[in-house]
Amino acid sequence: MSRVSLLSDLLSSIGARSWFLGDDATRRIALPELAGLCHRLVSSRGEASGVRLAADILKGIRALDDADAERFFAILADDFGPDAAALREAADAYASAPSPATLSTLQRLAEPPRQELFRRLNLAPGGTAEIVRLRERLLPFLRRDRERLGPVEDDLRHLFQSWFNRGFLLMRPIDWNTPASILEKIIRYEAVHAIATWEELRQRLAPADRRCFAFFHPSIPDDPLIFVEVALTVEIPASIASVLDPARPVLTPEAAQTAVFYSISNCHAGLAGVSFGSFLIKQVAEDLKETVPSLRTFVTLSPVPGFAAWLAGLSPAGIEKLEANEKQAIAIVGEPNWTANTAKVEAARPGLLSLGARYFLRAKRPDGRPVDPVARFHLGNGAMLNRIMHVGDISAGGLAQAHGLMVNYLYDLPRVEQRHEAYATDAEIAASRAVTSLLPGRGSAMKDVA
């Protein structure tokens, strides 16, 4: 699309496109008029009229089909950005005569009007949730045209980092007595280990050795932002099946020594990249340490979502340089139903664990961080890569994503900040001897097999 304003083109090309606005079912408005209402909202002075106008705009946006939604985001990018000429003049004035006054003018003109638009849209009832959904709609278009729509995304992310600041979030326990409307959302939002029935949900919430905690925002009080499911165990479990087994013996909290964070689910795609998961894990760990004094170990039981794709992407020349047991493992996991054959499972073990160590410790992005997104999250939180587990998850999803591998990240609370700083500053991966010892050779760099 052209970078010039779309308003005049839209008036002629899509003037017939319309939707219902407000409470009057006969009131119809074209997309260009919606842009006009946005301009009115940004420049309006009355709060009461602004609330109604914001509500009408959000209703109009909600009714857009995908084509018009993309055009609307283009309008936000083109017509609600800073005034380039005025900004240049203010920058020159500040450069010539730095002062609080010229700096204030520069800062005011540098802020895009669309940021004020989003703030005023937030005045509407349910506005915060609507704007989160607005960003969710933006993300697919952003992948197609980041250069143009990137500034709109930047403004939304900037506002969300303030609106969803940890200081505003409320941590609440989720249990079997939580209102059904919230429990339904837990079932729907579970992103790691699907919950198929209410009975499965009860097994995760009701027993004495199970916990669940969620963050809520005061503006969205009945809709969790993120939640974590916790199993209280004696030892670190080797598989997710043992954690979710409904026939397992229920442990009394006093007998538990380990808290296992086995599922962490972000609930809203519109909040992707707005990090509050680290705060949730650390607060849950601190709270559990106080309420269950017998706990000594805090670990995750995490998926490895990129391992299978990384392995499939190795070049033939790279595969040729692998160890014999690694090549054998690749051949075995390529066979159908290999996990049903105990001999094949054991034959694949050393090679898969070795490949897993390569993946976590040597496969890096250009910025030096691990390619695995879950690893980046936990290592960035200050956790340590503690153990890689063979056939930890042999569900269809676990085999498709990771050939059954799972991993523990250890949260050693006194050392979390130190490890966080080392990772943030130098991309240093904290890993246990149990993990580093799996590497096939200290001199075998990952680039040699990529």
Side-chain angles (χ1 to χ4, degrees):
M1 288 192 228
S2 169
R3 290 185 177 278
V4 300
S5 168
L6 295 182
L7 288 177
S8 58
D9 292 341
L10 286 168
L11 283 168
S12 57
S13 66
I14 58 171
R17 296 180 185 268
S18 59
W19 57 86
F20 295 114
L21 185 74
D23 298 327
D24 184 356
T26 65
R27 176 76 170 99
R28 300 176 70 86
I29 182 173
L31 179 57
E33 191 175 343
L34 179 62
L37 291 176
C38 290
H39 281 289
R40 272 182 55 197
L41 180 60
V42 170
S43 59
S44 67
R45 294 292 180 264
E47 183 173 337
S49 60
V51 171
R52 177 54 190 263
L53 188 56
D56 283 347
I57 291 171
L58 289 174
K59 182 177 288 189
I61 294 171
R62 192 164 57 245
L64 295 174
D65 61 24
D66 287 344
D68 277 354
E70 186 170 15
R71 293 185 177 99
F72 178 73
F73 288 124
I75 290 172
L76 292 181
D78 294 344
D79 297 336
F80 289 83
D83 184 325
L87 182 58
R88 189 178 303 110
E89 182 179 340
D92 290 342
Y94 177 73
S96 300
S99 71
T102 54
L103 177 60
S104 177
T105 300
L106 178 60
Q107 290 173 327
R108 175 173 54 81
L109 292 173
E111 180 179 272
R114 62 181 159 261
Q115 281 200 24
E116 182 62 20
L117 172 64
F118 295 142
R119 282 194 288 264
R120 296 193 181 201
L121 288 174
N122 198 38
L123 293 171
T128 304
E130 288 285 354
I131 297 171
V132 170
R133 284 190 283 270
L134 181 68
R135 182 170 180 255
E136 181 176 352
R137 293 198 73 180
L138 169 64
L139 294 178
F141 305 130
L142 186 69
R143 287 190 282 270
R144 294 207 295 259
D145 193 356
R146 178 168 289 276
E147 182 179 357
R148 187 179 199 182
L149 301 180
V152 182
E153 152 69 356
D154 291 342
D155 289 338
L156 285 169
R157 184 191 287 257
H158 172 76
L159 289 172
F160 285 177
Q161 286 172 341
S162 297
W163 293 356
F164 293 92
N165 180 282
R166 171 64 189 94
F168 295 124
L169 304 183
L170 306 173
M171 191 179 84
R172 290 158 51 184
I174 305 295
D175 57 33
W176 195 235
N177 296 316
T178 297
S181 60
I182 295 177
L183 295 182
E184 288 175 342
K185 293 182 175 72
I186 298 296
I187 293 175
R188 184 164 72 249
Y189 292 146
E190 166 59 64
V192 184
H193 305 292
I195 301 173
T197 66
W198 281 92
E199 176 56 24
E200 287 186 16
L201 179 64
R202 191 188 70 80
Q203 286 292 333
R204 300 198 193 184
L205 300 181
D209 58 358
R210 292 296 179 264
R211 300 289 188 275
C212 181
F213 299 88
F215 267 159
F216 291 83
H217 191 278
S219 295
I220 319 174
D222 297 322
D223 201 348
L225 305 178
I226 185 173
F227 63 91
V228 59
E229 297 167 67
V230 186
L232 303 182
T233 65
V234 176
E235 299 178 339
I236 299 175
S239 72
I240 189 62
S242 64
V243 171
L244 299 180
D245 182 2
R248 62 180 171 76
V250 175
L251 194 69
T252 63
E254 295 77 14
Q257 298 179 36
T258 304
V260 183
F261 303 93
Y262 67 89
S263 180
I264 303 169
S265 296
N266 288 290
C267 303
H268 302 280
L271 291 173
V274 181
S275 179
F276 31 65
S278 60
F279 297 116
L280 179 62
I281 291 174
K282 292 170 187 174
Q283 185 169 339
V284 168
E286 292 290 351
D287 285 10
L288 285 174
K289 190 175 180 180
E290 290 186 9
T291 58
V292 187
S294 60
L295 293 175
R296 297 289 180 268
T297 305
F298 299 86
V299 297
T300 74
L301 184 57
S302 297
V304 190
F307 177 67
W310 169 80
L311 198 58
L314 294 181
S315 68
I319 292 175
E320 184 59 32
K321 294 177 182 179
L322 294 174
E323 302 291 316
N325 61 5
E326 294 173 323
K327 295 177 186 177
Q328 180 185 33
I330 291 174
I332 291 173
V333 300
E335 299 178 17
N337 302 318
W338 65 273
T339 56
N341 185 312
T342 302
K344 289 182 178 179
V345 168
E346 290 307 310
R349 180 187 298 275
L352 273 183
L353 292 176
S354 175
L355 288 165
R358 288 183 187 265
Y359 173 70
F360 283 110
L361 300 177
R362 293 178 174 167
K364 305 289 180 65
R365 302 191 311 179
D367 64 1
R369 265 60 179 173
V371 296
D372 189 80
V374 178
R376 293 196 301 273
F377 173 77
H378 289 295
L379 294 171
N381 290 345
M384 180 181 75
L385 185 62
N386 186 60
R387 186 173 63 166
I388 303 172
M389 290 165 292
H390 181 49
V391 291
D393 182 4
I394 57 172
S395 67
L399 291 173
Q401 289 188 335
H403 301 306
L405 290 189
M406 294 194 81
V407 64
N408 295 134
Y409 297 96
L410 174 69
Y411 279 82
D412 183 358
L413 300 184
R415 302 187 65 185
V416 160
E417 293 305 322
Q418 174 190 344
R419 286 172 173 158
H420 162 75
E421 291 297 331
Y423 179 82
T425 304
D426 301 317
E428 182 179 316
I429 297 175
S432 69
R433 187 181 301 274
V435 172
T436 58
S437 65
L438 295 172
L439 286 171
R442 300 296 178 183
S444 178
M446 196 61 246
K447 63 184 179 182
D448 293 335
V449 301

